[in-house]
Amino acid sequence: MCRIFGCLDQEVTPHHLRTLSALQRHGGPDAQVSRLLGDSAVGNNRLAIMDVDGGDQPYTELAGRIQVVFNGEIYNHARLRSELRGKGYAIPDECDGSVIPALYLEHGADFPERLDGMYAVAVLDLRGDGPTLVLAVDDIGMKPLYYHRKPHESRFYFASEIPALLAVPGVDPEPAQWSLDSYLATKTPFGEETAFRHIRVMPPASTAVVRRDGELRIWRRDRNIAQDIAQDIAQDTPQDTTPGAPAGAGFHASVQEVREVLRGEVRRLLVADVPVSAITSGGLDSSLVTAFAAEAAPALHSFNIAYRGDWPADERHYAREVAERCGTVHHQVLADPRSFPDLLPDVVWHLGQPNADPITLSTYLLFREVSEAGFKVALTGDAADELFGGYDRITRALATAGSGDGDGWVDPYVEALAAVPSALRTRLYTGEYRDYIEREGSVSSRLAEQLRTSRLNRMARLSEIEIGLRLPAYHLRRVDHLSMAHAVEVRLPFCQPAVVRLAGRLPVDHKVLGDERKRVLYAAAGTSLPRSVLDRPKQPFTLPIQAMLRSGEPLLDFARSVLSPSRLRRDGLLDPAAVTGLFERQLQRPSATAASAIWALLIYQLWIDQFGVRRWAATGQGAVR
């Protein structure tokens, strides 16, 4: 696991490369290296997980004419190494990434088709008339890779994190005009665009070729898991669809298959040359991963986070029950809410762009403790809800009356994705920004149109959004950036291809039936977890912001300071009077809606402050000073 960076730029200097490296060192403290090769460069900050004494980057072939930097883990590296050595390639060590140069020579830009893992890879090919960069990211988007390229310019930069790119001269912190509306409508920008106008992110299952003259070609590979799972679901013939119908033989077979496949993936991800831990929130998904990991790893260490004081939705007792059942060495992390105002700017900086989930603060603190306890690797339960239908909005969308072609479910579903309801968003915007959104069209309306015009069945359309768009943008980038902020590699059993493809093949009713969610997963966990965890009401693993944004709490005072009328007037996006009214409403009649809106606006304003984002102007010319 590492951070990587590089460029094609005739004006790049060692100073630029040192800056890129320094701003990502938190994710790769074990070694830092960069190579300036004429008008191109690659670099790496290493977090040593496999073959700790080997694995020096860049990996090379052909006397240095092929240079490779790599972030992530390749799980099938032993088989690839054996095959490549059998073809005569000399691979110097047992590190997983060391196979990539030979794999590239053997298969060219199609080399990612042979990789099983989570990865972002950059190959610098110095053969021919000029340097060529080949970039690739894994099939579901576990390892982000951002790039900067302005139209009609040959200069191209890439990095694992946005803050590093913003330190390069010429990469301006210019916001995309739609960024606030997009963020409030979906909690973080979806797709290839980011909140910055000239910074984009590689989509899952994509490969790019960049040439010195500025030509950029990017394509989605055939092994696109999100599309595959939607197609699998589209071909599904529902079974056991009568509410309350007993689970048949088909369901029991699905339960057994899910249990064995997930157990196998958890055990596979325990392989490392450093200690591995588990995150145990007390919910079904992370608890099941912990249980399977504990079967294969005696004295496994588990981690849970809670908050000092008396707060609603405290899950620590569920996590402790799981730890006792599984025999783990349990670490109870206690965060002090009084420290949150000091920590939030760091969280926003590491994320690089706004993410409205309050869990970001909890995630940052939790992985800090994992690192301080001496662990470089942690297993989590992320992505189970997307794959197995764990969200209320999914069950509501499926339960809405109408045939598979009906679209009465679309608007409520899109509304459920938002950080701030559409009617409230409109009231919070300045007149200038409101006019711009009405003229250009909102992100919500585009999502709704995508859902209405799709020819797939309802569950397949939901999966395209949940797995293809929301999972990589909202969940996986957050997990990557906030764990690597403390040099911790997160491994994700539910994101492994075997689990993802299995979830896509399952009949819809094996996942969701009436009000039942994740049916097959609950059944698979039945003999491994305490009944208290299996029978408990579902609640999100998050920060209790409604309770923390109340009179006398430091978080409320901090939010009012950051969202002061003078600062809002300076930036020209939000109506100061409307935001003041939102605070008054929260003080008089506290609600989840008002608290979530305040939190979302707080994060956006901190993002503006952290990166010196230019003031937006609705002139059609972009941002201005």
Side-chain angles (χ1 to χ4, degrees), residues 1 31 61 68 89 128 142 274 284 314 342 349 378-379 381 419 437 447 497 511 515 520 527:
M1 182 65 66
E61 269 283 2
V68 176
Y89 291 99
M142 289 178 276
V274 297
L284 169 69
D314 192 328
D342 292 331
W349 185 86
L379 272 60
I437 296 301
L447 272 178
K511 293 177 279 192
D515 291 334
V520 69
T527 59

Side-chain angles (χ1 to χ4, degrees), residues 509-582:
D509 57 289
H510 287 192
K511 293 177 279 192
V512 178
L513 182 61
D515 291 334
E516 293 183 74
R517 296 169 295 186
K518 296 191 288 193
R519 294 179 67 217
V520 69
L521 205 57
Y522 273 100
T527 59
S528 298
L529 299 179
R531 289 309 313 176
S532 59
V533 172
L534 296 174
D535 296 339
R536 59 172 291 196
K538 178 177 173 60
Q539 64 187 48
F541 170 44
T542 192
L543 198 71
I545 56 170
Q546 182 177 341
M548 291 183 176
L549 287 170
R550 63 187 182 191
S551 182
E553 294 297 332
L555 194 59
L556 178 69
D557 294 337
F558 177 65
R560 295 182 82 165
S561 173
V562 171
L563 295 168
S564 67
S566 61
R567 294 172 86 166
L568 298 181
R569 280 192 291 270
R570 178 195 66 192
D571 297 314
L573 293 167
L574 295 166
D575 182 342
V579 175
T580 298
L582 186 64

Side-chain angles (χ1 to χ4, degrees), residues 46 57 110 134 145 147 156 265 286 290 305 311 314 335 354 372 391 479 508 575 579 585 600 607 623:
R46 188 185 183 202
Q57 296 194 39
D110 292 331
V134 180
L145 191 63
Y147 64 92
F156 182 94
E265 292 305 306
S286 66
T290 299
I305 189 167
W311 303 101
D314 192 328
E372 291 182 356
Y391 293 121
V479 170
V508 172
D575 182 342
V579 175
R585 192 182 321 160
W607 172 73

Side-chain angles (χ1 to χ4, degrees), residues 376-444:
K376 285 185 172 183
V377 179
L379 272 60
T380 78
D382 291 282
D385 285 316
E386 287 80 4
L387 295 175
F388 293 95
Y391 293 121
D392 285 339
R393 61 178 176 269
I394 294 176
T395 56
R396 289 196 298 266
L398 292 175
T400 299
S403 69
D405 293 329
D407 60 10
W409 58 275
V410 169
D411 288 337
Y413 170 77
V414 171
E415 188 78 350
L417 295 173
V420 180
S422 56
L424 178 55
R425 291 202 301 273
T426 300
R427 294 198 301 271
L428 291 172
Y429 295 156
T430 61
E432 185 184 30
Y433 192 62
R434 189 184 307 118
D435 291 344
Y436 168 76
I437 296 301
E438 290 177 355
R439 183 172 65 251
E440 299 296 325
S442 68
V443 171
S444 293

Side-chain angles (χ1 to χ4, degrees), residues 20 37 115 162 183 209 250 280 340 460 539:
L20 282 163
L37 302 153
L115 297 178
I162 287 176
Y183 161 66
V209 173
T280 309
F340 292 171
Q539 64 187 48

Side-chain angles (χ1 to χ4, degrees), residues 197-211:
R197 186 180 178 195
H198 295 299
I199 294 177
R200 297 175 70 84
V201 61
M202 294 271 290
S206 67
T207 302
V209 173
V210 193
R211 305 193 186 281

